[in-house]
Amino acid sequence: MPERPGGRTARVRASVLRAAGDMLAERGFAALDLGELATRAEVGRTTVYRRWGSVAAVVADLLLEMAAESLPRADTGTLLGDLRANARLVVRTLTDPRQGALFRSMLAAATSDEATAAALRRFYTTRIAEWAPCVTDAVARGEVPADTDPEEVIRAVSAPLYYRLLTGTAELDETAADRAAEAAVVAAKAGVHRRGSGSPE
Amino acid sequence: MPERPGGRTARVRASVLRAAGDMLAERGFAALDLGELATRAEVGRTTVYRRWGSVAAVVADLLLEMAAESLPRADTGTLLGDLRANARLVVRTLTDPRQGALFRSMLAAATSDEATAAALRRFYTTRIAEWAPCVTDAVARGEVPADTDPEEVIRAVSAPLYYRLLTGTAELDETAADRAAEAAVVAAKAGVHRRGSGSPE
């Protein structure tokens, strides 16, 4: 239903999503309970059940809000500068105690809950689309081949950072961020991330 | 205790680990119960409780067995050939219905269970060490700089494939495998994966 920004409905949503994020970060998806969430958010249970109806729906709404509130793309004038900003933002997010735990919880939930997997896919698709113009701009500047796949380059920046988060096999720090950005730029310039490429023989 | 290969103790272990892998793939870590595992493995509950004692210990043992039984590194004569074999093996594993579900379950469990996280870290460390000589050989052949970090190159091959598994934002197929291998080679040749590098300005 239509509502004024900052109206009661918006305040209820903000309160429920904040509590859901806290609980997910603290205890994970499996321990999230709508009744307890209502108590913690200081919102009526009926409101929470009527408006969201399931834990997966709350998580999907939280991801929508997170995508809407995420930082816009960088515009530093070079592909390396932009992708380094992206990589450092990913590292800051994943190493933040609350945000890191929240992402781990949601990634874990997505492995067994299809609604959460779909919501997470939408979240990453939105974030990748936000940063893809960094690559389009680099194409326009002649930094990378014209048929470079912008989404593929942005995914290539995040991938080593998420791999570190999930396998724990290497540090997740600024050095890792800068290396991820540099690897993506070098590969893009060499034409590895051209649309439809992958088996160049 | 010492035992003959193929003796009763080895058969019990094989049976319990097979059942654990099946149950993890089907229902995930949280639903794994030692008593039910014993029933499914057709092994006495006392044996299972005495020998492993916890679900996390069974999962850790399963990961040890998986690491021991994984394929050895390729030796094709070129870094691209070797890394492509590695990437295709990762894709085959992660897209296999049972193995893919098993890895998803274990990665999810590792986000909230420290013992499983440590076991998974050991698994990946073992696998990375198995493939790292592909990079050392490439250094010896002069394909990549002498101070290239072999583990970092191997991680760079797997990362985009795990990112696809977990975010669902792109296909996890042979094209993705070949692209991951090619990107790792191009970046290694350009010196991005040198030890201690990451901020080359």
Side-chain angles (χ1 to χ4, degrees):
Chain A
M1 72 202 86
E3 64 181 69
R4 286 172 299 116
R8 199 188 100 78
T9 311
R11 284 198 307 276
V12 164
R13 179 176 183 240
S15 179
V16 166
L17 296 185
R18 192 179 323 111
D22 290 343
M23 292 170 76
L24 277 168
E26 287 162 20
R27 288 182 290 166
F29 184 86
L32 197 59
D33 170 84
L34 282 194
E36 208 181 333
L37 174 62
T39 305
R40 182 137 168 190
E42 300 181 354
V43 166
R45 295 166 75 103
T46 314
T47 304
V48 171
Y49 282 97
R50 201 177 45 215
R51 178 145 176 192
W52 287 278
S54 72
V55 166
V58 174
V59 174
D61 201 19
L62 176 59
L63 281 161
L64 272 183
E65 192 205 36
M66 288 167 64
E69 298 203 342
S70 290
L71 288 175
R73 62 160 284 199
D75 191 359
T76 65
T78 68
L79 184 58
L80 182 58
D82 287 359
L83 297 189
R84 192 178 282 161
N86 184 1
R88 289 182 178 188
L89 174 62
V90 171
V91 167
R92 276 202 308 280
T93 303
L94 297 182
T95 56
D96 174 83
R98 180 181 186 275
Q99 293 275 94
L102 182 52
F103 273 96
R104 260 188 279 259
S105 283
M106 292 189 298
L107 286 160
T111 64
S112 58
D113 183 77
E114 187 38 52
T116 300
L120 206 58
R121 202 155 51 233
R122 279 192 299 274
F123 171 82
Y124 287 113
T125 303
T126 305
R127 292 305 293 154
I128 291 165
E130 171 65 30
W131 285 84
C134 299
V135 183
T136 318
D137 290 353
V139 167
R141 286 189 302 258
E143 282 194 74
V144 292
D147 56 348
T148 301
D149 181 341
E151 285 77 19
E152 185 63 18
V153 176
I154 302 301
R155 283 193 293 264
V157 175
S158 284
L161 308 173
Y162 276 85
Y163 183 80
R164 283 166 152 76
L165 177 77
L166 288 157
T167 67
T169 52
E171 286 299 311
L172 187 53
D173 55 16
E174 204 162 86
T175 302
D178 291 351
R179 193 193 287 251
E182 202 194 350
V185 170
V186 164
K189 287 188 178 185
V192 176
H193 296 309
R194 294 192 321 278
R195 289 180 205 284
S197 78
S199 264
E201 275 175 316
Chain B
M1 72 204 84
E3 65 181 73
R4 287 173 298 117
R8 200 187 100 77
T9 311
R11 285 198 307 275
V12 164
R13 179 177 182 239
S15 179
V16 166
L17 296 187
R18 191 178 324 110
D22 290 343
M23 291 170 78
L24 277 168
E26 286 162 20
R27 289 180 292 166
F29 184 86
L32 197 59
D33 170 83
L34 283 193
E36 207 181 334
L37 175 60
T39 304
R40 182 137 166 187
E42 298 180 357
V43 166
R45 295 165 76 104
T46 314
T47 304
V48 171
Y49 281 98
R50 202 176 47 214
R51 178 145 177 195
W52 287 277
S54 72
V55 167
V58 174
V59 174
D61 201 20
L62 176 60
L63 281 161
L64 272 183
E65 192 205 36
M66 286 166 65
E69 299 203 341
S70 289
L71 288 175
R73 62 160 283 200
D75 191 359
T76 65
T78 68
L79 184 59
L80 182 58
D82 287 358
L83 297 189
R84 192 179 282 162
N86 184 1
R88 288 182 180 188
L89 174 61
V90 171
V91 166
R92 276 201 308 279
T93 303
L94 297 182
T95 56
D96 175 83
R98 181 181 186 274
Q99 294 274 93
L102 182 53
F103 272 96
R104 259 188 279 258
S105 282
M106 293 190 298
L107 286 161
T111 65
S112 58
D113 182 77
E114 187 39 52
T116 300
L120 205 58
R121 203 156 49 235
R122 281 192 300 273
F123 172 82
Y124 286 114
T125 303
T126 304
R127 292 305 292 155
I128 291 166
E130 171 65 29
W131 286 83
C134 300
V135 183
T136 318
D137 290 353
V139 167
R141 287 189 301 259
E143 281 194 74
V144 293
D147 56 349
T148 300
D149 182 340
E151 285 78 18
E152 186 63 18
V153 176
I154 302 302
R155 283 192 293 265
V157 175
S158 283
L161 308 173
Y162 276 84
Y163 183 81
R164 282 166 154 76
L165 177 78
L166 287 157
T167 67
T169 52
E171 285 301 311
L172 187 53
D173 55 16
E174 204 162 87
T175 301
D178 292 352
R179 194 194 287 251
E182 200 194 352
V185 170
V186 164
K189 289 189 176 185
V192 176
H193 296 310
R194 294 192 322 277
R195 289 180 205 284
S197 76
S199 265
E201 282 175 312

